[in-house]
Amino acid sequence: MPIPSRAALVDHLVRTRIAGDVATPRDNNLSHYRRLANGDRHYWLGLELGDRWTDEQDVLAVMAERCGVVDDPEHRTGQDTIDPELTVDGLERMSARLRKAAAGRERVLFATGHPGALLDVHSRTAAALRAAGCDIVRIPGGLTADEGYVVQFADVAVFERGASLWHTHSPEPMRTILGALDSGPDLVVADHGWAGCAGQLGVDSMGYADCNDPALFIGEAEGVVQVTVPLDDHVVDPRFYEPMTAYLLNAAGLLP
């Protein structure tokens, strides 16, 4: 695949609604910000936020700065946005950490709570790091969490239940993996509670996050998560993420 320029990638992100005018409605975003501020741990994504984020307007301010949602608190319904320039900025920060991982031949663990959308993004990144000499963590067999199984496909840890891969925000699968490993990873690349839990437990962690998942952006603001890349984490065709992945791997020096 040709490597897009930054401008071409921005255009692609907007055209495919990975960023720009995204599908997640404004009222859903604000509801999640409120629930995080009210202490609903489902929305903390494995982070320990204590009483530092009890005002939803503070959460909105972080999301406007780091994700690009509309910063007007009176905008309650209708369209919301992700700034595509912030998406590419996040990819470039992520690429710098991937380059460091490759240089140090680090142990890297990949995981996703969005297997229907982001599995291939993580899998291609894992393959590129392996080719560069990194040790891609292979999780132990037989792991269970949240009344399901923690399994691995194409080098990416996922949650399986009822013979299906599940969309999950839970931090418990990552907690289970890290507790079962004899030697922990140097870096986790993930999303949702998988990324938040790893960062909270002291592992270098990077993740992708949608505009209705504020916790990882707060985690980056507090230095617990190293990088959070803003994007719509489930667009209609997973192949729409391919130019983004190519840009990321090229910026990290991981393409032939």
Side-chain angles (χ1 to χ4, degrees):
M1 173 178 291
I3 309 303
S5 66
R6 180 180 177 113
L9 180 59
V10 166
D11 288 344
H12 171 79
L13 295 174
V14 172
R15 186 171 62 255
T16 57
R17 301 187 73 185
I18 294 173
D21 291 341
V22 293
T24 309
R26 176 68 168 191
D27 57 333
N28 181 265
N29 284 345
L30 294 181
S31 173
H32 287 204
Y33 304 169
R34 185 178 313 112
R35 292 180 184 187
L36 180 147
N38 288 341
D40 187 333
R41 297 179 72 87
H42 174 78
Y43 296 92
W44 288 15
L45 301 182
L47 296 169
E48 293 298 331
L49 303 181
D51 59 359
R52 299 185 299 279
W53 297 92
T54 57
D55 187 337
E56 68 177 281
Q57 300 307 319
D58 291 340
V59 180
L60 174 60
V62 168
M63 294 302 292
E65 176 187 6
R66 292 179 175 266
C67 183
V69 301
V70 177
D71 62 0
D72 180 4
E74 298 306 314
H75 178 51
R76 310 297 299 178
T77 61
Q79 183 66 56
D80 213 339
T81 58
I82 293 174
D83 185 341
E85 297 288 350
L86 293 179
T87 303
V88 181
D89 287 346
L91 292 170
E92 292 178 351
R93 293 196 305 278
M94 181 176 281
S95 75
R97 184 61 183 86
L98 293 176
R99 186 183 290 270
K100 177 183 176 183
R105 298 196 170 188
E106 294 181 351
R107 278 174 52 80
V108 187
L109 172 62
F110 289 84
T112 185
H114 252 299
L118 298 179
L119 183 63
D120 192 52
V121 174
H122 290 301
S123 179
R124 290 182 182 216
T125 308
L129 283 178
R130 173 179 282 113
C134 287
D135 177 14
I136 305 305
V137 174
R138 183 176 174 88
I139 71 171
L143 299 182
T144 61
D146 294 335
E147 301 181 347
Y149 295 93
V150 186
V151 297
Q152 199 165 28
F153 288 97
D155 291 324
V156 184
V158 292
F159 179 68
E160 185 270 333
R161 188 171 166 186
S164 297
L165 303 186
W166 278 47
H167 169 214
T168 177
H169 287 216
S170 173
E172 294 309 314
M174 179 58 74
R175 196 183 315 277
T176 297
I177 292 172
L178 295 179
L181 292 174
D182 293 330
S183 177
D186 300 303
L187 175 66
V188 166
V189 184
D191 47 67
H192 285 178
W194 305 79
C197 177
Q200 188 63 49
L201 292 177
V203 181
D204 281 5
S205 177
M206 303 191 292
Y208 301 95
D210 209 329
C211 54
N212 63 353
D213 291 328
L216 292 190
F217 296 97
I218 289 173
E220 185 179 13
E222 292 194 333
V224 179
V225 175
Q226 291 210 334
V227 178
T228 300
V229 179
L231 48 67
D232 186 316
D233 56 15
H234 201 133
V235 294
V236 294
D237 188 341
R239 289 174 294 189
F240 289 164
Y241 297 106
E242 290 177 355
M244 180 193 83
T245 308
Y247 184 93
L248 170 70
L249 296 181
N250 183 66
L254 294 174
L255 291 182

